[in-house]
Amino acid sequence: MSPDEKLFKDSVNEFLSKTLNPVWTNIDSEKRIPTEIINKMGEQGLFAIPVPEEYGGQGGNFLLASIAVEEVAYNDPAVATAVFTLLNNSWPFILYLYGNEETKQEILPLVGKGRGFFGIASTESIGGSDVAGERTSARKEGSLYVINGEKIYISGVRESLEQLDLGSWYLIARTGKPEDKHRGLTGFAFIGNKNGRKAENFEYSILNTIGRHAISTGLLRFNNTPIEQKYVIGEENKGFYLAMQGFSLARILVSAANIGAAKWALEQAVRFSRERRMFDDRPIASYQGVSFPIAEVAAKLESARLLVYKAAQLADKIYIKKEAGYRPHDLNYWASIAKIMAVETAFNSAEVAMKTYGAYSYTEEADLFRNMLGVLSYYVGAEGSQNIMRYIVARELIGREYVKA
Ligand SMILES: Cc1cc2nc3c(=O)[nH]c(=O)nc-3n(C[C@H](O)[C@H](O)[C@H](O)COP(=O)(O)OP(=O)(O)OC[C@H]3O[C@@H](n4cnc5c(N)ncnc54)[C@H](O)[C@@H]3O)c2cc1C
């Protein structure tokens, strides 16, 4: 890290240690990120970090965004606020790259100020891994597209539709035939709420999730929902390719969130192992059965963080510095490797912290369960499952002609 990046990390952590950290267990219990926290995070410059300032972003890059997201997760290790932050840094960048000028000016400045959200609406009940098989349709009628279908497990639904001035998503819908698979999908900037006005012919509901409660996960239902032409992102039928770029960028920040959560759990294990004494009044840290798993998590955590930085710096070469010889496709491999390692390290760190605490970890008072259930969301899904990460790495390494999903 350069001195400026270190300064940024310290200032973000100082801000979050006062605003977010004191309330992280409350917001998890109350199942809500207070709107004023989102607004303050926006004022602090934690959203749309890689988006240029003329579009209301911070004019930063993906390394700074990764640093910010790690600090957010460290200060809310149930990772709810980190999810909101990582989505509001990765997907707005795709809108900035490929959106229509008017749409960018409508959405991005509000996202940057912490008064808006721009997430991803891809997953359908047929299975989130099969993006090319998605069925939600967008039928062209004059100057409008008419959307029909349902998206499920979508993050940020209540925040977007009930709390903020603007709630929107990169919506993937089928403009071609089902047999066109990934070549028949288009990306839209779907605005579900603007200043309290909901989109026409559109409904939503919230799911009861088992963790990271403060951010909502829900369903978006489209029943002849109209979207104007200006909200098409990029070209018609090219939405799959733009979504894949968005997923890679989001995976870097998912990985950063898991690093922050893993660091928090590791610190709990370290502290408890020093304090808890037994047998000849020795701290449990003096037993290798306790200290070695902690050391192993530390080794994995430090390695995974370097992978996150490597992937983020590669993203910066491709998208921010636009260095010759780098293509968006190059990111798939490193972003997937970072996610494999960061997510599995975070879960391992949560597990080691719980084992170190013993039975106390199984009480609500210990708060470790909030961290474990939060990082579990990234183990089972979210921005692509761990198996899909392995599939991408294998495909890039061995060859597309050998490796099939
Ligand atoms: C808390 C939470 C929030 C989320 N937020 C969003 C969001 O904001 N927007 C959004 O669009 N989606 C969101 N998702 C959905 C997420 O992206 C999906 O969970 C993910 O894409 C996997 O899809 P699925 O859960 O339907 O699993 P499936 O695709 O049904 O897969 C089930 C299992 O089969 C495995 N599998 C499937 N195909 C293969 C294969 N070819 N090879 C090997 N293994 C395979 C998978 O790895 C997985 O373990 C969220 C999920 C969670 C849990």
Side-chain angles (χ1 to χ4, degrees), residues 83 87 91 117 119-131 134 151-156 169-170 172 209 211-212 215-218 247 251 374 376-389 391 404-405:
V83 172
L87 291 169
W91 292 97
F117 176 78
I120 169 70
S122 166
T123 305
E124 298 182 2
S125 56
I126 55 152
S129 305
D130 187 11
V131 177
E134 287 181 10
K151 298 288 178 181
I152 190 168
Y153 311 124
I154 304 306
S155 298
W169 287 269
Y170 182 99
I172 306 179
T209 52
R212 73 177 210 196
I215 184 166
S216 60
T217 308
F247 282 128
R251 280 168 195 151
L376 188 58
S377 70
Y378 284 114
Y379 218 122
V380 301
E383 308 291 343
S385 74
Q386 291 299 90
N387 268 5
I388 294 301
M389 297 307 102
Y391 161 69
K404 299 279 174 221

Side-chain angles (χ1 to χ4, degrees), residues 331-350:
L331 200 54
N332 297 351
Y333 179 79
W334 287 107
S336 302
I337 286 194
K339 185 174 182 260
I340 290 173
M341 294 308 295
V343 167
E344 290 169 25
T345 298
F347 193 69
N348 188 205
S349 187

Side-chain angles (χ1 to χ4, degrees), residues 200-380:
E200 238 177 275
N201 304 336
F202 160 71
E203 287 173 6
Y204 66 95
S205 56
I206 311 289
L207 292 161
N208 290 319
T209 52
I210 60 164
R212 73 177 210 196
H213 294 296
I215 184 166
S216 60
T217 308
L219 284 92
L220 307 179
R221 291 191 194 87
F222 304 92
N223 184 9
N224 289 322
T225 312
I227 298 190
E228 287 174 52
Q229 168 90 38
K230 67 178 177 184
Y231 293 114
V232 171
I233 302 178
E235 287 174 49
E236 195 178 282
N237 293 329
K238 296 278 165 55
F240 177 85
Y241 305 102
L242 309 191
M244 291 303 127
Q245 291 182 44
F247 282 128
S248 275
L249 293 170
R251 280 168 195 151
I252 300 171
L253 302 184
V254 162
S255 308
N258 279 276
I259 298 299
K263 182 181 160 201
W264 178 85
L266 180 66
E267 284 180 4
Q268 309 316 304
V270 167
R271 184 183 42 74
F272 195 88
S273 72
R274 287 182 187 135
E275 289 169 2
R276 179 88 159 152
R277 306 179 80 87
M278 64 186 63
F279 297 106
D280 302 322
D281 197 31
R282 283 165 58 181
I284 56 170
S286 69
Y287 303 108
Q288 290 176 354
V290 174
S291 64
F292 278 17
I294 292 175
E296 280 161 22
V297 167
K300 289 180 197 165
L301 171 58
E302 299 297 348
S303 317
R305 185 187 281 112
L306 291 177
L307 284 169
V308 175
Y309 288 175
K310 182 175 172 78
Q313 284 170 334
L314 181 58
D316 290 341
K317 285 181 183 180
I318 298 166
Y319 291 104
I320 309 285
K321 298 178 193 157
K322 300 187 175 67
E323 284 186 19
Y326 292 97
R327 303 165 306 152
H329 183 90
D330 301 335
L331 200 54
N332 297 351
Y333 179 79
W334 287 107
S336 302
I337 286 194
K339 185 174 182 260
I340 290 173
M341 294 308 295
V343 167
E344 290 169 25
T345 298
F347 193 69
N348 188 205
S349 187
E351 180 192 352
V352 167
M354 291 192 82
K355 283 182 182 161
T356 306
Y357 271 44
Y360 180 46
S361 73
Y362 211 65
T363 66
E364 288 199 352
E365 192 187 284
D367 287 326
L368 291 181
F369 76 103
R370 300 183 198 277
N371 167 258
M372 178 172 257
L373 292 175
V375 299
L376 188 58
S377 70
Y378 284 114
Y379 218 122
V380 301

